[in-house]
Amino acid sequence: MLRQVNGHSSGSDAQGRESLKEDLQEFLGGEAPLHQLDDLTKVNPVTLETVLRCLQARYTEDIFYTNAGCTLVALNPFKPIPQLYAPELMQEYHVAPQPQKLKPHIFTVGEQTYRNVKSRIEPINQSIVVSGESGAGKTWTSRCLMKFYAVVAASPASCENHKVAERIEQRILNSNPVMEAFGNACTLRNNNSSRFGKFIQLQLNRAQQMTGAAVQTYLLEKTRVACQASSERNFHIFYQICKGATEDERLQWSLPEGAAFSWLPNPEKSLEEDCFELTREAMLHLGIDTPTQNNIFKILVGLLHLGNVHFADSEDEAQPCQLMDGTKVSVRTSASLLQLTEDMLLETMQIRTIKAGKQQQVFRKPCSRAECDTRRDCLAKLIYARLFDWLVSVINSSICADSNSWTAFIGLLDVYGFESFPDNSLEQLCINYANEKLQQHFVAHYLRAQQEEYAVEGLEWSFVNYQDNQSCLDLLEGSPISICSLINEECRLNRPSSAAQLQTRIESALAGKPCLGHNKLSREPSFVVVHFAGPVRYHTESLVEKNKDPVPPELTGLLQQSQDPLLMMLFPANSEEKTQEELSGQSRALALTVVSKFKASLEQLLQVLHSTTPHYIRCIKPNSQSQPQSFIQEEVLSQLEACGLVETIHISAAGFPIRVSHQNFVERYKLLRGLRPRTSSGPWGLCSARKSSEGPCGQLEQPLCAKEATLQPILQDILRALPALTQTVTTPGDPAETTQVPLYCGRTKVFMTDSMLELLERGRAQKLEQCARCIQCGWRRHRLQKQEKQRRAAVLIQAAIRSWLTRKHITRLHTAATVIKRAWHKWRIRMACLACKELDGVEEKPMPQAPSSRSSSLPPAHTKLLGAIIHLWPLGLVLANSTVGARGFQRKLVAHACLRLPTGSPSHSVQTPQQDQAGITSIRALPQGSIKFHCRKSPLQYADICPEPSASYVTGFNQILLERHRPVQV
């Protein structure tokens, strides 16, 4: 845009004659690029008008979050935007390397606090202060932050831990609808206004996982139960019961459809918060079972019926006030629901018991109509306050973790916003007093403390003027005389308090205070306090009575006699509590006032905030009508002036928001000492990190203690390494990264900007990455070498095992072969012996030689037949053993062919039929004469078995004969 303006001015002579002021106003007044400015410190110049224009431009573009230095500005959109708070967006901000580079969001603040806890930079505990006017969106912001932490801080590894984390997350989230139902109400400025303050402590363990939470409440506006301003409503829970109860529950609770109650104004107004089922389900998750819930709702309906009890003025002061027509049924119903005696309930509201004298004599005095109404309202407020405190204790017991299981916490402070109504009483005084304290905490922690610290550390700094509200706090709580002390003193005096008298005392005792105003036109007694957000007029009527908050002992005794189990627990019969009438002494009376108790709890809260690292979210309400897309500049401008946002932007733009002690700085960044610049000169020099009048590295010349002297060399090495760091982490050609990065080393701390911190963190991350790579390389080398040694050892072991197994197998084979061989030889020898033994018993006879003339005298036909039989000797063997077939000479030829006897030798002859009966004389002797073959199965036991069958093996043939005898020539 600047180039366009300059180019346009140089290209046109007409616009070149325009004044520099008009050109600057045209440049600064253009709203087109203002919505792109994510940080208000970039607005030039920083004024209320330019900041207002930037916020309006972003609001028009549906951009509702803007950074203002250390503060996040949140504009209430007044419309649902689900995608702006989706779980996917939460994860995007959680896993982002630099969440501050993303668009401004409440998730940025949440992630920054979460990472601060993880980095464990002192102070480890974090707190987020959500401030703003009523209706600016503080409750919604706190709810979204709780959901963000429940998502990002509940991701354990094991399944069992994951279930536990989910249960804790669900209970923490379910505490919101319960506390909003019982503690929020619809006011003139907000449909869901918190009528109490709460500080939610999210507890984290050493692994930064959410283990539980604790809730601390402040100043419940219990008067709203019995008194509501015009156009406002009671607490949400009463409307939820009346709109969401079932038919059976209505009969059980005596709650007919369309019943009218005096303490339930504007029942026709429907709000998103009137969801009874959501509240019941949340209570169930918190451990409040259905019978207990029904008991709670029954008591609340009993309070509504109690509000319909009205009294009439009594004609005789000695007689108690009588009930108005139609209200006796309400007394009966209320007593039945609270399980009280009807007569006793009515008598407690009508008659006051007074103890007087040294003997503590008891007097009974009828109450006036106003006193009866007051005692009725006090009874309802007492029950509701005890019930609310009991619910908070149940929530804490359900979600609070053991003190040994968590080490750090993140606190969310959702306190009521600044309020200014036509009628303001003690409640608004306490609420605005709390806002003044929180504003002073911001001023003291950031605006004042930061600038004073610059001066102490020796930084050249021109102070920025800001609005300090210390004078207003002195008016409210100063010593020895203040508004709070005067109100408490009125409570200690044993006399009736007058509203006009209290006004006179305040104006006379605090005359001259700059923040005390006067409203002479007001007809009612009042005083004006000029707060940081504007003047507020407080009525003194009933101010002292509300501060006393008297609880008559008759009411407590009445509730102790209730037969309701929940009321018996809230008001035990053996309670040691004492009322104001039983206490004596000014100090005790002072400690029991509402202002004193609220002041003590507020001081305790501020001590917790001072011990943490605070973060601020300023909620801005664009318009008072809660209309979307409506931005009223006058209303927003008053809020910007009240919260000191412009001063915050000035200090954030010119100062150093990051302050780290020397020891923490050295411990975190000492690993950067090894960096050395690639060239002797660079874009970043040490001159930007120190002043000319100072010593090296921005350190003032001063005596140092031993610990500081030890840190100085390391600190100087780190600062000398910064030029190399800029060369390492920046990319070539990036002009934004080559500019000088401001860093200042003070006496005890190192001051830097967000960009410098980002630069150091990037360099540290790169250094850690290099170290991690070296460790990974060494580990991988060691692992590979170890694996190689293991592989070689495994190969050697496998080879030895296989060799041993092979040798063992071969040895077994040799042993088995030897055994088989020996057995075979023994079997062969045994078979031979058996054959010899059996055949030797047969009678041997000589075989006469046949005349050779027979063989020579064979005819040719017989010769051919003999040749054929020789080739077909098996068939001939069969024919020779058959009972029928060839006879005579043919049969002899078959036997001759089977024995393969030579035909030309005359030494042997085939036995004739006449010689068939001769047989074989001996198996060792050569055949003598004819041969008789035994072709039947051998009678020998092992004659037909052969271990290794030969090619000519024939089953059933006498193998021994074939092996031992050679063929006989015929």
Side-chain angles (χ1 to χ4, degrees), residues 168-184:
I168 295 173
E169 170 191 349
Q170 190 66 29
R171 288 183 177 181
I172 292 175
L173 294 180
N174 283 323
S175 65
N176 269 331
V178 175
M179 299 193 70
E180 289 181 10
F182 285 85
N184 290 18

Side-chain angles (χ1 to χ4, degrees), residues 824 827 831 941-948 953 959:
W824 166 247
W827 183 80
M831 292 300 102
Q941 184 179 0
Y942 302 100
D944 299 327
I945 299 174
C946 180
E948 293 181 0
Y953 175 76
Q959 186 67 25

Side-chain angles (χ1 to χ4, degrees), residues 174-446:
N174 283 323
S175 65
N176 269 331
V178 175
M179 299 193 70
E180 289 181 10
F182 285 85
N184 290 18
C186 176
T187 62
L188 295 175
R189 295 188 174 186
N190 186 9
N191 291 337
N192 190 30
S193 177
S194 298
R195 308 319 302 163
F196 70 103
K198 62 177 178 289
F199 182 72
I200 304 174
Q201 189 182 67
L202 304 178
Q203 301 159 348
L204 306 175
N205 58 12
R206 294 187 180 274
Q208 290 78 48
Q209 298 170 358
M210 190 181 301
T211 60
V215 181
Q216 185 177 358
T217 59
Y218 306 93
L219 191 66
L220 174 69
E221 190 187 10
K222 57 184 179 181
T223 56
R224 184 169 290 270
V225 177
C227 181
Q228 303 84 28
S230 178
S231 301
E232 292 190 351
R233 298 203 320 173
N234 207 328
F235 292 103
H236 293 321
I237 187 62
F238 293 105
Y239 299 90
Q240 292 179 2
I241 295 173
C242 293
K243 294 181 180 180
T246 62
E247 294 297 331
D248 295 339
E249 291 171 344
R250 290 182 183 276
L251 293 176
Q252 182 182 356
W253 301 336
S254 301
L255 186 64
E257 188 75 30
F261 297 100
S262 300
W263 290 351
L264 206 66
N266 304 315
E268 71 283 349
K269 190 174 183 179
S270 297
L271 299 179
E272 183 183 355
E273 289 75 19
D274 296 341
C275 185
F276 191 45
E277 291 300 325
L278 180 62
T279 303
R280 301 198 69 163
E281 183 179 358
M283 295 175 69
L284 196 61
H285 283 291
L286 291 174
I288 305 175
D289 53 11
T290 302
T292 307
Q293 293 182 25
N294 294 333
N295 197 2
I296 294 173
F297 302 143
K298 183 185 66 173
I299 294 175
L300 294 179
V301 176
L303 297 184
L304 291 179
H305 285 283
L306 184 64
N308 287 344
V309 177
H310 301 287
F311 296 92
D313 291 327
S314 176
E315 298 178 358
D316 186 4
E317 294 182 358
Q319 297 297 326
C321 297
Q322 299 300 319
L323 294 173
M324 296 183 65
D325 297 337
T327 60
K328 190 170 182 62
V329 179
S330 300
V331 176
R332 185 183 304 110
T333 305
S334 179
S336 175
L337 294 175
L338 299 177
Q339 295 192 21
L340 296 170
T341 306
E342 180 182 353
D343 297 336
M344 187 175 294
L345 174 62
L346 187 59
E347 180 182 350
T348 306
M349 291 186 292
Q350 291 175 332
I351 299 176
R352 180 161 58 99
T353 304
I354 302 175
K355 293 182 181 180
K358 294 182 179 180
Q359 282 83 22
Q360 293 291 312
Q361 295 180 359
V362 179
F363 299 93
R364 295 167 61 85
K365 179 182 179 182
C367 298
S368 64
R369 176 184 177 184
E371 290 177 343
C372 291
D373 293 341
T374 301
R375 294 169 75 88
R376 176 202 62 196
D377 298 347
C378 183
L379 180 63
K381 292 187 293 183
L382 178 62
I383 295 175
Y384 195 84
R386 291 283 184 94
L387 181 61
F388 183 81
D389 293 339
W390 176 79
L391 280 174
V392 174
S393 65
V394 170
I395 291 174
N396 284 331
S397 63
S398 176
I399 65 178
C400 188
D402 187 12
S403 58
N404 298 326
S405 63
W406 61 277
T407 57
F409 69 85
I410 299 176
L412 299 178
L413 179 60
D414 177 18
V415 72
Y416 11 61
F418 183 83
E419 292 184 349
S420 178
F421 298 118
D423 296 329
N424 301 287
S425 188
L426 184 67
E427 294 80 13
Q428 281 69 40
L429 180 63
C430 293
I431 288 173
N432 294 338
Y433 169 53
N435 280 269
E436 288 285 351
K437 293 287 286 186
L438 293 177
Q439 176 67 16
Q440 181 63 21
H441 173 265
F442 172 74
V443 170
H445 183 271
Y446 190 78

Side-chain angles (χ1 to χ4, degrees), residues 540-701:
T540 56
E541 185 68 31
S542 69
L543 193 65
V544 176
E545 290 298 323
K546 289 184 177 180
N547 188 37
K548 290 181 180 179
D549 192 20
V551 179
E554 302 96 309
L555 299 182
T556 305
L558 172 67
L559 294 175
Q560 289 176 351
Q561 298 178 12
S562 173
Q563 300 302 315
D564 185 83
L566 183 56
L567 290 179
M568 293 173 63
M569 182 172 55
L570 296 179
F571 300 93
N574 57 351
S575 176
E576 299 180 357
E577 297 178 358
K578 295 182 179 180
T579 61
Q580 287 183 352
E581 297 182 4
E582 296 174 340
L583 293 174
S584 61
Q586 295 181 354
S587 59
R588 293 185 179 181
L590 178 62
L592 288 175
T593 61
V594 173
V595 172
S596 299
K597 291 188 290 186
F598 181 70
K599 183 179 178 181
S601 62
L602 196 58
E603 290 294 337
Q604 183 182 2
L605 171 64
L606 290 176
Q607 289 180 2
V608 175
L609 293 181
H610 282 298
S611 64
T612 62
T613 301
H615 306 264
Y616 302 95
I617 299 178
R618 293 287 187 180
C619 297
I620 303 295
K621 184 168 58 174
N623 59 85
S624 58
Q625 291 77 26
S626 303
Q627 296 294 328
Q629 297 296 328
S630 177
F631 191 92
I632 301 178
Q633 294 186 355
E634 291 77 10
E635 296 182 5
V636 177
L637 187 62
S638 63
Q639 298 177 61
L640 295 179
E641 291 175 345
C643 66
L645 189 62
V646 177
E647 293 84 356
T648 304
I649 298 171
H650 275 296
I651 297 176
S652 300
F656 301 93
I658 309 300
R659 303 178 302 277
V660 185
S661 65
H662 287 175
Q663 182 177 0
N664 292 339
F665 185 83
V666 168
E667 289 179 357
R668 188 164 183 84
Y669 301 113
K670 62 183 177 181
L671 53 91
L672 300 177
R673 290 183 297 168
L675 296 178
R676 289 294 180 266
R678 292 190 291 267
T679 58
S680 59
S681 61
W684 200 96
L686 293 178
C687 296
S688 62
R690 65 174 183 262
K691 301 299 177 183
S692 58
S693 62
E694 298 166 358
C697 303
Q699 183 67 36
L700 294 176
E701 298 296 340

